Amino acid sequence: MPIEVTLISQLGHGAGDQLVASATARQRAHRDFIDALDEPSARLGGPHFENGDPTSLYSFVVGAKGHPFHRHAGHRVFTAVSGSGGTRLRFSDASSDQLASDPDSFLRALRHVDIPPDCLFSVRFGGATWHQFVSLHPRGGHPALFALSCHTNELGGDLAPDVREQVRANAATIPSLTEVLPTIVQQRLDDGARRLDVPTIALSLDAPAGSLHSWMCRLVRGAAGKVRRAWTHYRRAGGFSSERGGRHTVVRLAEPNADSLLLEQLPSRHHHQDMFVLTLEDARVSGTGATALLAKLLEAFVAHPPAGVSYLMAFRNVLVKPLGLRTSPLSCPVSSLLGSSAAPRFAGRFPVIDQRIDSDDTFAQVILGADDKHLRFRSCVAVRKVGSGRIELSMGTRVACTNLFGHVYMAAIERFHRGYVSPSILRGAAEHAFAARSTKPLDD
């Protein structure tokens, strides 16, 4: 197989050393990090043989002094960034039979490819190709490279039986897939290194190799690399992850269902009404009754209120406390769950105004609520099992204003309450109560 090296882009001065230092720190914190053969590495993604995918992805770092000459059974494709001193790629395609009969055949097949400092480049070569990567100027202390390596077939090539079993168990590492150069050949290489005139290809994007421009560029990039590499040691090697979209959809209904307890609340007059429903598919709920599911939902309302709603409630409490209105860390649809009144208790814990559970425990609902100076509110929270592994979670609210301030208050918050507060509360509670990544039964 041919050996292919492609320069892709010239990065900023000193960017190579900085990127290698930063990536090295993050790689060291990876759960699958391993430091062996002078090639610290981490497996970022293993093969999925059950899905017909034999590929895997690794990161690895090579320092200034390089790593031992070695080879792998399978093909290798990697994309790398050279350090700020440049990188030398060393290859030999001498076969095992050639090495056994004549160790010097390795030296005759030796080839070099020189990569300039701070460069993004790609490399591709076949299995059984001997290779070694070193810094072009190791005395300068610059690392050779940081790379992302794709193993196109983790089972490819002439793998030893024990290694093949390790790969099938999804437990392979770069060291376990590596064969180092035989000792006798390594001795020949060490003895003849200074006398060898190895054929070398020097690649560059900005200046011809050996030119004054190239020399000055390497000098400046090397100095900048040391400064930028030192700066990375003062920065935390962390990261952040956030998610948007793909969450459970909350549907707003025009009216409560005919069997909702909310229809019995504030029957004479109300000035606001809403109803939200979330349908959840979860196989773990099939053997759990609606009463237990509703208890978990109410617990999630109390224990895991959405952060955005909590901030809004804290701000609202500061504004209304001088007016003598009720304050609570929970939004009004479920704030009465924190009450300490002598009201009836659902599941022996949650204070409710009313509750109803059907005979086969497939539909359970409670009424929450409180009376304040400016309004009265009632909320109906319910869980309905509608099939094996499928439930409907609903939350509806009615509000009756008792004075002019109540009308002004509701006019100010109604749109935001419908569009954000109630859907966020229901969605957040559902995700914490039922959609956690756990295999435990829900009634544990």
Side-chain angles (χ1 to χ4, degrees), residues 347-426:
R349 175 184 175 186
F350 304 104
V352 298
I353 295 174
D354 196 2
Q355 57 184 296
R356 183 178 298 167
I357 303 168
D358 65 2
S359 58
D360 56 356
D361 199 18
T362 59
F363 183 38
Q365 54 184 325
V366 296
I367 294 294
L368 312 176
D371 297 339
D372 208 348
K373 290 182 177 182
H374 60 313
L375 55 77
R376 303 166 63 201
F377 80 88
R378 300 290 184 267
S379 296
C380 180
V381 180
V383 172
R384 187 193 305 269
K385 300 184 68 173
V386 293
S388 179
R390 184 181 182 191
I391 55 176
E392 286 183 353
L393 314 177
S394 63
M395 182 172 69
T397 304
R398 273 185 174 180
V399 176
C401 300
T402 56
N403 54 37
L404 178 60
F405 177 70
H407 288 282
V408 174
Y409 179 86
M410 285 305 301
I413 72 165
E414 183 173 24
R415 184 173 180 179
F416 202 65
H417 177 88
R418 293 180 190 270
Y420 174 70
V421 174
S422 287
S424 296
I425 292 173
L426 183 59

Side-chain angles (χ1 to χ4, degrees), residues 147-274:
L148 294 175
S149 178
C150 177
H151 298 185
T152 57
N153 184 357
E154 199 78 304
L155 287 171
D158 187 18
L159 291 173
D162 59 330
V163 176
R164 185 171 294 273
E165 288 305 313
Q166 186 182 38
V167 171
R168 289 194 178 278
N170 212 0
T173 64
I174 284 184
S176 71
L177 298 169
T178 296
E179 176 190 356
V180 297
L181 197 63
T183 303
I184 186 173
V185 180
Q186 184 65 54
Q187 290 175 347
R188 296 290 182 91
L189 177 63
D190 294 339
D191 294 341
R194 293 186 178 181
R195 301 190 304 271
L196 290 175
D197 184 14
V198 180
T200 301
I201 296 175
L203 304 178
S204 180
L205 294 174
D206 290 347
S211 65
L212 177 62
H213 184 183
S214 174
W215 179 83
M216 293 182 63
C217 184
R218 178 173 60 83
L219 192 68
V220 174
R221 289 183 179 276
K226 291 182 178 181
V227 173
R228 297 182 70 171
R229 182 172 73 241
W231 172 247
T232 62
H233 295 304
Y234 295 96
R235 301 181 64 186
R236 182 176 65 89
F240 305 91
S241 175
S242 61
E243 296 183 11
R244 293 187 62 187
R247 302 179 68 185
H248 300 293
T249 301
V250 178
V251 178
R252 179 183 169 189
L253 303 183
E255 294 287 340
N257 292 325
D259 55 357
S260 173
L261 279 176
L262 188 63
L263 296 175
E264 302 175 12
Q265 307 300 314
L266 307 177
S268 59
R269 184 180 62 173
H270 59 271
H271 304 95
H272 167 90
Q273 177 175 279
D274 60 47

Side-chain angles (χ1 to χ4, degrees), residues 248 278-289 293 362 383-393 434 442:
H248 300 293
L278 185 154
T279 301
L280 182 67
E281 301 281 352
D282 192 332
R284 296 174 299 155
V285 306
S286 57
T288 306
L293 298 174
T362 59
V383 172
R384 187 193 305 269
K385 300 184 68 173
V386 293
S388 179
R390 184 181 182 191
I391 55 176
E392 286 183 353
L393 314 177
F434 307 117
L442 291 175

